[in-house]
Amino acid sequence: MSVQMVLLPVFIQIGLAFALLFAMATTRTRALTSGETKIGDIALREPNWPAQATKFGNCFANQFELPILFYVLIAIALPLRRADLFIVLMSWVFVVTRFAHASVFVTSNDVRPRSLAWFAWFAGALVLAAMWLYFALRLLLLI
């Protein structure tokens, strides 16, 4: 696989993280400038942001949990030349699940749609586990 094909899903995932960062910054800035939130209420990282700012903040923080294992896998697989078609296809599936998770996570606080976010997260975790298992077997068994 070409380096570009392997890295494109990574760049898209990183784009999602930056989009969430900018959305979080925007919603927090609006909350502060409108007076909805006071600086003293959040100065020591107290969770006193309005709901929308909290959603974006939590979703942005989530991009540094499960996706870290994705980044590490690609960072190891690429130089070892073990990033094949399976890894690339599963990378895309993983990234799609991250977008699905984020889109539900930041738009709804209703329990039913939020369960879809959990399902997307769980599906992404399973895909990532399969990627790691495949990579480990391919590397250790030299298949």
Side-chain angles (χ1 to χ4, degrees):
M1 300 271 39
S2 72
V3 172
Q4 293 86 346
M5 288 180 71
V6 175
L7 290 179
L8 186 56
V10 174
F11 293 148
I12 299 298
Q13 174 62 36
I14 290 170
L16 173 61
F18 274 109
L20 291 167
L21 170 67
F22 296 138
M24 177 188 68
T26 300
T27 57
R28 286 181 175 184
T29 300
R30 281 189 193 136
L32 289 170
T33 57
S34 73
E36 185 176 7
T37 302
K38 305 285 186 236
I39 293 275
D41 294 338
I42 49 93
L44 296 175
R45 295 182 59 116
E46 294 95 342
N48 294 325
W49 292 107
Q52 192 64 16
T54 300
K55 287 179 193 178
F56 279 109
N58 290 345
C59 196
F60 174 67
N62 189 264
Q63 302 311 306
F64 298 96
E65 294 171 359
L66 193 59
I68 294 296
L69 297 174
F70 171 65
Y71 299 138
V72 170
L73 174 65
I74 299 303
I76 296 170
L78 194 59
L80 294 178
R81 300 182 189 268
R82 295 290 194 269
D84 59 8
L85 182 61
F86 178 81
I87 294 290
V88 171
L89 291 176
M90 291 299 102
S91 292
W92 280 112
V93 172
F94 177 75
V95 169
V96 166
T97 66
R98 300 305 304 159
F99 270 84
H101 176 265
S103 66
V104 173
F105 203 87
V106 299
T107 58
S108 176
N109 210 18
D110 186 13
V111 173
R112 267 184 305 211
R114 290 294 293 256
S115 66
L116 293 174
W118 182 86
F119 177 76
W121 177 90
F122 188 69
L126 289 177
V127 166
L128 191 56
M131 290 171 68
W132 271 102
L133 180 63
Y134 174 81
F135 173 70
L137 290 175
R138 209 166 157 238
L139 187 65
L140 298 174
L141 301 177
L142 301 172
I143 55 173

